[in-house]
Amino acid sequence: MSPNPASAPTAADLVDWDAAARLARIATPAGPHVPDAIRRASVALLRRSVDDALPWAGRITGLPGPARSAALNAEILVVDRAGLMTASAAWLRGLTGALPMPDAGPASRALATGQVGVALGYLSTRVLGQVLPRLDDPAGGDVTRPDARLLLVAPNVLAFQRRFDLDVLDLPAWVALHEAVHLVQLSAAPWLAQRLTDRMRLVIGALVAAVRNADAVRTEPDEQSDEQDEQPDGPPLGDLLTAPGREHLTRLVALLTLLEGHADAVLDAVEPGRMPSVHRLRAVLSRTPRSYGRGLSAGPGALLGRLIGLDAKETQYADGAAFARAVIARVGHKGLNTVWAAPDNLPLPDEIARPEQWIERLGL
């Protein structure tokens, strides 16, 4: 697939999206084989769980208004793995379509297409739920219309429940509550989606530059075999980032760390009276790698992390939860909610590990 000659090339043209989707589908099993009745029941349960989770998240966070707004304006879907791949690819294509770039050579396109295809396939087997923020066109128009899109991945929730022998009601409720917190965050801070996607675009722009620089020193395509073109090899893209690119990545990770840490801290409020197996859920999830993703870090954040070769670090998200818990302990959810009032209220990367500095800076 070649870039559209009628318009200037963008970073989206660096990827052959059809080929990436084919690669992802070939490499991805459909999920656990279950009777249709169980499949339908799993989908229905996830839908009910998220309906209950939004007001629940609003009560815990002290943000009932944003929770109601999220229920009205977010698009909530229960999908299979193919649906997750399709939605993720479309979102990433929209994100990169706003980044202009000179036309890339065949080697760069083969590398980027292969990386995207592998990342989509890998994540589609491990993500339980993800939130895709609204994309705004830098010119002022909406690229995606809903405030946010929440995807709950039914076969992955079912596979996770069976693998760890978890409660069939409580696991969907837990996943839905985690995702609901992210919807509340985006609704409470109307500027947050733009800040998040802007930071992602800065990282992707740095990646694009790194790929093009790498292309200049790669062997010419006509000297490579067809097999090499179809299965591109090379270092993780993150290894190619320059110092400014790594700084953009640090700031993006700090923001994702805050969002995930806040969601984890909100889940601390869940009691056995509402979720009988909550203690077992916490025990299992505390031992489960973040590659079994949930939330914003499991969607766009994890996709970028996989492309860069930087999986989400457990210590980073532990720091995010520690930050949120420390702030809540000192000034309550009301104090923590100050973070959603303005972009300048976001904790700086150094403040994630030093919540008292953030509290002092905000005068709480």
Side-chain angles (χ1 to χ4, degrees):
M1 182 182 69
S2 60
N4 183 356
S7 59
T10 70
D13 296 316
L14 188 61
V15 176
D16 182 334
W17 296 95
D18 292 338
R22 285 196 301 271
L23 175 62
R25 286 194 295 269
I26 289 170
T28 305
H33 297 287
V34 296
D36 287 343
I38 292 178
R39 185 178 297 107
R40 288 193 297 270
S42 298
V43 170
L45 180 56
L46 282 168
R47 292 187 185 280
R48 289 198 302 272
S49 296
V50 78
D51 287 343
D52 293 339
L54 277 165
W56 190 6
R59 288 192 296 272
I60 294 173
T61 60
L63 296 168
R68 288 191 295 271
S69 178
L72 291 172
N73 297 310
E75 182 177 15
I76 299 170
L77 301 171
V78 180
V79 299
D80 58 12
R81 290 174 176 176
L84 178 67
M85 285 187 282
T86 299
S88 299
W91 190 90
L92 184 60
R93 188 174 189 174
L95 184 76
T96 55
L99 292 170
M101 63 164 288
D103 195 8
S108 291
R109 298 190 73 245
L111 173 62
T113 298
Q115 294 272 3
V116 169
V118 169
L120 288 172
Y122 173 82
L123 291 172
S124 71
T125 66
R126 306 178 80 81
V127 169
L128 305 180
Q130 73 174 21
V131 172
L132 298 175
R134 183 187 66 247
L135 291 178
D136 289 329
D137 188 329
D142 284 346
V143 175
T144 59
R145 297 182 62 186
D147 280 359
R149 172 178 281 184
L150 165 58
L151 305 172
L152 298 168
V153 191
N156 292 355
V157 174
L158 182 60
F160 193 87
Q161 180 266 320
R162 291 185 165 198
R163 176 178 177 180
F164 295 101
D165 192 26
L166 298 171
D167 187 90
V168 296
L169 298 178
D170 288 353
L171 177 62
W174 180 276
V175 174
L177 181 58
H178 186 107
E179 305 309 326
V181 174
H182 292 310
L183 291 179
V184 171
Q185 292 166 346
L186 291 165
S187 183
W191 48 266
L192 180 58
Q194 186 71 52
R195 175 57 63 97
L196 185 58
T197 54
D198 282 349
R199 289 189 174 176
M200 288 181 180
R201 283 175 174 136
L202 287 170
V203 173
I204 292 172
L207 284 176
V208 168
V211 169
R212 294 192 72 249
N213 290 337
D215 188 41
V217 297
R218 285 172 65 90
T219 306
E220 290 296 325
D222 59 0
E223 297 178 9
Q224 299 180 16
S225 69
D226 291 340
E227 182 178 358
Q228 285 174 309
D229 284 342
E230 293 172 1
Q231 297 178 342
D233 196 8
L237 299 182
D239 292 352
L240 306 175
L241 285 174
T242 61
R246 288 193 294 273
E247 175 63 21
H248 293 321
L249 181 61
T250 296
R251 291 182 177 274
L252 172 61
V253 169
L255 179 53
L256 291 171
T257 296
L258 166 69
L259 301 178
E260 288 300 312
H262 178 227
D264 284 349
V266 168
L267 288 165
D268 291 346
V270 178
E271 298 290 345
R274 179 70 183 263
M275 191 179 291
S277 68
V278 65
H279 295 310
R280 172 162 168 73
L281 266 172
R282 288 195 180 106
V284 169
L285 290 168
S286 69
R287 300 191 301 267
T288 304
R290 280 275 173 178
S291 54
Y292 281 98
R294 306 172 298 281
L296 284 159
S297 71
L303 186 56
L304 282 181
R306 188 68 181 173
L307 291 174
I308 295 167
L310 176 71
D311 287 333
K313 294 180 180 178
E314 299 295 327
T315 54
Q316 289 170 328
Y317 291 115
D319 282 349
F323 172 87
R325 287 164 180 150
V327 172
I328 291 168
R330 285 275 303 275
V331 296
H333 281 282
K334 182 178 180 180
L336 179 59
N337 288 341
T338 305
V339 78
W340 316 121
D344 288 345
N345 290 4
L346 289 171
L348 303 172
D350 289 347
E351 290 174 337
I352 292 288
R354 299 174 179 86
E356 69 281 356
Q357 291 185 7
W358 179 83
I359 292 172
E360 182 177 353
R361 179 166 68 86
L362 273 291
L364 300 176

